[in-house]
Amino acid sequence: MVQIRQSTIIDAPIEDVWSILRDFNGHGRWHPAIAFSEIDGGEPVDAVGSVRHFRLADGGELREQLLALSDKDFRLSYCLLEAPLPLMNYVASIRLKPVTDGNATFWEWRSEFHPPAHRRDELVKLVTEDIYQAGFEAIRNLLRERPAAVPLQARSPVVAMTPSAAVPRIASTIFSGQAAKTRAILVERYGGPEVLQLKDIALPPPASNEVQIRHTVIGVNFIDVYCRTGYFDLLRPPGVPGMEAAGVIEAIGSEVSGLSAGDRVAYACPPVGAYCERRNMAPDLLVRLSDDIPDETAAASLLKGVSASFLLHDVHAVQPGSVVLIHAAAGGVGQLLVRWARHLGAMVIATVSSDDKARIVERLGAHHVIVYSRENFAEAVMRLTSGAGADVAYDAVGNDTFGGSLASLGIRGHLVSFGQASGPVGNWDIGRFASKSITISRPNYAHYTDTPAKLSPHVERFFAALRQGVVKIEPPRRYSLSNAGDAHRDLESRRTTGALVLVP
Amino acid sequence: MTKIYVSSVIPAPAAEVWKVVRDFNALPGWTPFVTESRIEQNAQADQIGCIRNFVLRDGGRIRERLLALSDYDLSCSYTILESPMAVENYIATLSLTPITDGNLTLAEWQADFDCAPEREAALTHQIGTGVFQAAFSALKQRFGR
């Protein structure tokens, strides 16, 4: 038997490092050796017993089972079930410890296994260097490249704004003991879904420039997960997550005009704080709902719909006959992009990670669906377009797909990188883009939506598309507000395809 | 039960740091707050059960019994028998873990004890900062950083 023990210091708080490592499926996003990973059977990513099935960059496929996970001890262990290499009886564990003088993290990765004698040195070197040391470096880079307040978005759109003045005010009133209270999901420390706890928090009357909204349905987006784990500091504990909701105005401040109590409204914007029964907020970015838009539809789709609108019309104006490549097409924004791009007359090539998702996207009307875990999508795009390539690629996957997206583009193609679910895209030499005169965009949700003048055309266009049936919003999966943790577990496990909402 | 946990990165290999801290009688040699120390009854300093009797810079006298010592785990545990600090059931563990990346050492020092509730904050600060962290800072300096 050989024992391997590797350890390092990561210059980041233990909660930040743990929030990445505790996701048993997350290695597909950050470890350079891994091309693709998914959890078998849609088990939650932190469920002991769940099995991750992943593929290496060289094509080898492995399955590993989670044996233990402790958020208290910052520890998890797992074993290998299937591998293309004789790492017999491989059992490994990851353990974090805080370095209290300096806010850094000690990370130890150890394992034991029984290699055949003649391959012992080779396998020890592989595990030590290519898996553990490369993993240390990848996490170090990931945390270094992560700007504190600028979200790196994933399957739902990018919402980037510096925390507004309203955030500390919410936090500071939580324990102020005022008479008026509301039920809210309070994050008192960054962590897993279990930190989403229902609490009573203070709710003062709206300030002169605010309205008070009673939420009826609250949207759940992947950015809420990043707020919960501390990946983005849009939320600073203690705070209430959530960027999207629909509801009814119950009270208005003295300086507010144009809105009145009883109005039905929705919003999709910072500051965080939507996971609650009632909240106060500035009215600038509220959207008044007409009678034919149900609250549930608005809460499930406004953020995603507005994103799809500016991606297809402003960031790149999709024309009839355009060849459009859409990654993560079964995701929230992806589904809207597929339907909408098709409506605009484009030829839609969609990529997904599994056969189940492929069937969903086919039903949405994609002309071609590629399961990118199985097929080289860049080659497929070239084949489908007789070598002409795509006019535009919508890529929220990031690291795993960025290079392939570039390769899929035709002359004067446009790569729209609006998220990085699989990790940052790294450094690219733009000189090489001249070979096809490629244009790259990295849009930020806030820059297209942070004033009423910018936001309203997208809202109107999205609602019009809904009314005309251009896009459809499937009934979202509903959770009670108190079960927000379950909603996050399901979202993170990647077993969901449509939208998720919370009902107070 | 009050718990204290302090950890630090020492810029030296764990084996070298262990040579310094494993000697239960060596506090005057590596901490800034102990002036003299002896092992009672001529016992060996690595004998489980031995008692160190030492004097702090401020004159206070402390007697501690070695409860465990592992050259495999690079850790030792001890309990306070007598001190001016008014703590009970005090058990502390000092342990080292190699950091293979750079050949450094993670040093951890933790303590569990009971005390009067109004003394808890002051004792936590005194022990965590004044003793454990101060000793780690001295170790860092000793090994060159």
Side-chain angles (χ1 to χ4, degrees), chain B residues 105-132:
Chain B
T105 301
L106 176 74
E108 297 173 278
W109 208 332
Q110 46 202 324
D112 294 342
F113 58 89
D114 295 315
C115 65
E118 66 275 12
R119 300 252 305 134
E120 182 170 329
L123 277 171
T124 300
H125 179 76
Q126 185 187 345
I127 297 169
T129 307
V131 179
F132 296 172

Side-chain angles (χ1 to χ4, degrees), chain A residues 5 7-8 97-101, chain B residues 7-8 98-101 108 133:
Chain A
R5 183 153 116 171
S7 48
T8 195
K97 292 179 174 188
V99 179
T100 59
D101 64 342
Chain B
S7 58
S8 186
I99 301 168
T100 58
D101 193 356
E108 297 173 278
Q133 185 59 51

